[in-house]
Amino acid sequence: MTTVENEDTPTKLDFVRSIVAEDGKTGKWDCRVHTRFPPEPNGYLHIGHAKSICLNFGIAEEFQGKCNLRFDDTNPAKEEQEYVDSIIEDVKWLGWDWEERLYFASSYFQQMYDYGLELIKKGKAYVCDLGPEETRNHRGTLTEPGRESPYRNRSVEENLDLFKAMKIGAFADGAKTLKAKIDMAHPNLNMRDPVMYRVLHASHHRTGDDWCIYPLYDWAHGLEDSLEGITHSICTLEFENHRPLYDWFLDALEVHHPQQIEFARLNLTYTLMSKRQLLRLVEKGLVRGWDDPRMPTISGLRRRGYSPAAIRNFCKTIGVNKSNSTVDMALLEHCLRQDLNKTSPRVMAVLNPLKIVITNYPMSQVDELEAINNPEDPDAGSRKISFSRVIYIEREDFMEDPPKRFFRLAPGREVRLRYAYLITCTKVVKDEDGQVTELHCSYDPETRGGNAPDGRRIKATLHWVSAAYALDAEVRLYDHLLANENPGDLDEGEDLSANLNPDSLKVITHCKMEPSLGETEPFCRYQFERLGYFCTDPDSTPSRLVFNRTVTLRDPWAKVQKQEQNQKQSQKS
RNA sequence: UGGGGAAUAGUGUAAUGGCAGCACGACUGACUCUGAAUCAUUUAGUCGAGGUUCGAAUCCUCGUUCCCCAGCCA
């Protein structure tokens, strides 16, 4: 088994790391490892990019190599500075460092142009006058060979003159292209005289109007890698068909030639992972923006309350290979809870309040009780919480007529209030419609702190907030954005909005928070005890608190209820 | 119907001719001042058919299924 010593545990190597390790042994690249993460700034990064980021930066780190952050900004029609800024922020937030190596493909435009001249001089490229449609017609089909362009055999001088004229803007958009002279009968369509440059009079977000020709991916990408001295150029599976062309260009120019390696992109259940689709969600206003907490974008996950550690651990856990697969969202959530459980301070918050009057508790008395901040982390310490005569508990924690598996509060039943007292429900108060409006309970003064001196067993512990000290807050509950577990199954033309989960966002107001939350700041993460992990939204202000539910706690009771509901439904039908 | 890839429990991923393992999920139980966490238990897999071999997920042959490619997008 191939392994690398990583801290104290040996880790199995995926197929990419195996190649890198093998190259290290044979000295193929003088024991250098240099990767790059090359996003196009035409959208926000998502969890699928995180897989690529962790692969590229992770390999560099593990093999004492380097990883560049490089923007592949060769198409001014789609790219914007806003995207550049967000990408930089997101990669940084994930915890990776490219040191001084922040690069842009657009900085290489002159060198690429010079290489273009060189290829023409070698007789391996030509200027073609065929328009887009004619080019397509000449390409042939999957089963039939293409036809050579009538401009294919122009002289080197003529090609040089025309290419230079293209550069200075002598032609209209689409009028001419520079093509590689390869093989119009090649079974791989990418090798049938691919276009290297198009005429495009567009303003670029970095180079402005300096250029009116722009290089295409196949031509540009290998050059970018070569110029930066990349050793392993890692990309996704759909570029496998392009590798012969990647190799052809670099061989033709006889320059540094990295190895392209392809891996399968990430798919997640209930998740759309194409930038095009995500852009549609944003543009149609079906979400609040790229950072909507329901979006699989890095900025969306951050706002939702994900931690970088959770995402990185997820990327490590899913592995890397060449087969298409769809990872269960439950695995992402598992990695999330695993990290949040260790790191999140506990607080008490009541989302759907039910008022309780402790009838035998003195009117003006206040108890200062001690609550542990994080049982998983002794260093997190403790805090004081105030108990008084009127408190709120979760409405779902009381049932007037409880089923047998429900062991929370019910008439005549005794439960524990977390860190406080044992209380017994003595009276249910209702309005005219029969709705429960409040409960009367008695407390046992001997149980201060939550312990019964006689050692009697209490099955349920409830979270609560003291009414006199409670803070009001808005809480946003999220569910899958998509109704369909495999949204990839959608047809291209299918209406996106028809596949959205109508219950993906529920906003609750007038939730009751313990007072320590008054000092919260955006992006602070908490566990609301017994409910889940929550994160302060950037919309939150001291006078108007707003929290996002990141993910619920695992909840067997909710599962039982769901099963019973389903059983009732299937009995009906 | 051309070319390039990929198939291992429900899901993801190891095993590179030598005991099919791990994680998630699901199930059952223990514990519990969070119905969380933790611990224990169970469930369940090599795409198919041949062949080589003492021995095949792995090698060979023939199939099957799925993904990618006909942008002057990346």
Side-chain angles (χ1 to χ4, degrees), chain A residues 88-346:
Chain A
I88 288 174
E89 184 187 2
D90 289 347
V91 180
K92 228 183 244 175
W93 179 75
L94 282 171
W96 300 106
D97 183 12
W98 51 89
E99 297 172 311
E100 77 292 353
R101 297 179 311 281
L102 172 63
Y103 300 131
F104 292 84
S106 52
S107 335
Y108 310 138
F109 281 169
Q110 182 62 44
Q111 281 153 291
M112 291 177 184
Y113 173 76
D114 293 341
Y115 278 130
L117 292 173
E118 196 179 323
L119 218 57
I120 291 172
K121 287 176 193 158
K122 289 186 173 192
K124 293 184 173 184
Y126 63 96
V127 173
C128 182
D129 298 5
L130 258 28
E133 194 168 334
E134 295 159 306
T135 294
R136 192 183 339 123
N137 292 337
H138 279 72
R139 190 152 30 227
T141 68
L142 294 177
T143 51
E144 301 156 39
R147 299 180 340 261
E148 294 190 351
S149 160
Y151 308 98
R152 199 171 197 258
N153 294 309
R154 295 215 248 229
S155 69
V156 168
E157 277 63 39
E158 191 183 358
N159 279 323
L160 250 19
D161 288 346
L162 287 170
F163 186 44
K164 286 172 187 167
M166 279 168 68
K167 183 194 182 234
I168 60 170
F171 306 112
D173 287 2
K176 284 189 168 45
T177 58
L178 184 71
K179 289 180 177 171
K181 192 193 277 192
I182 307 181
D183 177 4
M184 289 309 291
H186 202 286
N188 181 341
L189 267 46
N190 296 128
M191 299 296 272
R192 320 243 259 230
D193 288 10
V195 175
M196 297 161 60
Y197 275 100
R198 74 269 212 183
V199 177
L200 185 60
H201 294 263
S203 222
H204 187 281
H205 64 101
R206 288 187 66 83
T207 60
D209 298 321
D210 292 354
W211 294 86
C212 35
I213 55 171
Y214 289 94
L216 274 87
Y217 173 85
D218 288 301
W219 168 244
H221 202 87
L223 294 179
E224 296 158 22
D225 288 342
S226 182
L227 258 8
E228 291 177 15
I230 299 303
T231 57
H232 304 270
S233 175
I234 300 165
C235 61
T236 44
L237 242 34
E238 67 269 27
F239 293 103
E240 211 155 18
N241 292 326
H242 296 245
R243 177 154 30 95
L245 186 50
Y246 182 98
D247 291 337
W248 189 91
F249 280 130
L250 296 180
D251 286 342
L253 292 168
E254 300 173 89
V255 293
H256 170 69
H257 188 156
Q259 178 182 1
Q260 177 177 306
I261 304 168
E262 310 86 9
F263 72 97
R265 61 164 72 232
L266 171 68
N267 297 295
L268 255 188
T269 55
Y270 299 105
T271 307
L272 243 26
M273 208 73 89
S274 93
K275 274 198 224 174
R276 196 181 55 81
Q277 300 262 48
L278 296 178
L279 179 62
R280 272 175 69 201
L281 288 174
V282 173
E283 283 179 339
K284 286 182 155 188
L286 297 170
V287 294
R288 279 185 50 166
W290 286 99
D291 70 341
D292 186 298
R294 293 166 293 179
M295 290 283 271
T297 50
I298 304 297
S299 52
L301 296 174
R302 175 168 59 231
R303 187 167 179 178
R304 175 81 169 250
Y306 276 71
S307 61
I311 293 172
R312 287 173 62 149
N313 191 44
F314 170 72
C315 291
K316 193 185 273 184
T317 305
I318 56 177
V320 182
N321 67 21
K322 296 193 67 149
S323 57
N324 292 309
S325 60
T326 302
V327 176
D328 194 334
M329 176 63 90
L331 181 59
L332 212 210
E333 292 181 343
H334 163 78
C335 294
L336 216 210
R337 291 190 183 104
Q338 189 176 260
D339 182 57
L340 265 23
N341 177 46
K342 282 184 300 190
T343 56
S344 300
R346 272 62 171 169

Side-chain angles (χ1 to χ4, degrees), chain A residues 443-459:
Chain A
Y443 86 115
D444 179 350
E446 300 302 307
T447 59
R448 188 175 191 276
N451 300 303
D454 62 356
R456 65 182 186 270
R457 284 272 189 247
I458 305 298
K459 187 79 171 151

Side-chain angles (χ1 to χ4, degrees), chain A residues 469-484:
Chain A
Y469 303 93
L471 264 23
D472 241 47
E474 172 179 323
V475 174
R476 300 170 182 169
L477 306 180
Y478 300 102
D479 196 0
H480 309 304
L481 220 207
L482 282 297
N484 188 342

Side-chain angles (χ1 to χ4, degrees), chain A residues 298-487:
Chain A
I298 304 297
S299 52
L301 296 174
R302 175 168 59 231
R303 187 167 179 178
R304 175 81 169 250
Y306 276 71
S307 61
I311 293 172
R312 287 173 62 149
N313 191 44
F314 170 72
C315 291
K316 193 185 273 184
T317 305
I318 56 177
V320 182
N321 67 21
K322 296 193 67 149
S323 57
N324 292 309
S325 60
T326 302
V327 176
D328 194 334
M329 176 63 90
L331 181 59
L332 212 210
E333 292 181 343
H334 163 78
C335 294
L336 216 210
R337 291 190 183 104
Q338 189 176 260
D339 182 57
L340 265 23
N341 177 46
K342 282 184 300 190
T343 56
S344 300
R346 272 62 171 169
V347 294
M348 290 203 280
V350 174
L351 265 35
N352 187 9
L354 174 60
K355 185 175 167 187
I356 290 188
V357 180
I358 315 285
T359 47
N360 60 338
Y361 194 86
M363 211 56 106
S364 57
Q365 186 171 313
V366 177
D367 255 313
E368 292 285 306
L369 300 159
E370 184 157 354
I372 294 163
N373 287 333
N374 185 352
E376 303 286 326
D377 176 9
D379 295 338
S382 62
R383 67 191 185 285
K384 295 281 185 210
I385 46 175
S386 303
F387 184 82
S388 53
R389 185 177 156 95
V390 181
I391 61 162
Y392 295 110
I393 65 161
E394 210 67 61
R395 191 164 278 271
E396 288 77 21
D397 283 342
F398 170 79
M399 282 184 102
E400 194 172 14
D401 183 19
K404 57 177 179 296
R405 291 166 87 176
F406 182 90
F407 49 77
R408 275 109 96 148
L409 195 60
R413 203 184 272 183
E414 185 176 52
V415 298
R416 174 186 295 110
L417 293 177
R418 181 96 156 135
Y419 301 125
Y421 292 97
L422 303 190
I423 59 166
T424 303
C425 178
T426 52
K427 187 182 174 193
V428 180
V429 182
K430 297 180 186 178
D431 62 15
E432 299 122 14
D433 303 327
Q435 296 297 310
V436 177
T437 52
E438 67 177 62
L439 263 26
H440 289 184
C441 293
S442 62
Y443 86 115
D444 179 350
E446 300 302 307
T447 59
R448 188 175 191 276
N451 300 303
D454 62 356
R456 65 182 186 270
R457 284 272 189 247
I458 305 298
K459 187 79 171 151
T461 301
L462 310 187
H463 61 278
W464 55 275
V465 171
S466 193
Y469 303 93
L471 264 23
D472 241 47
E474 172 179 323
V475 174
R476 300 170 182 169
L477 306 180
Y478 300 102
D479 196 0
H480 309 304
L481 220 207
L482 282 297
N484 188 342
E485 181 172 343
N486 292 107

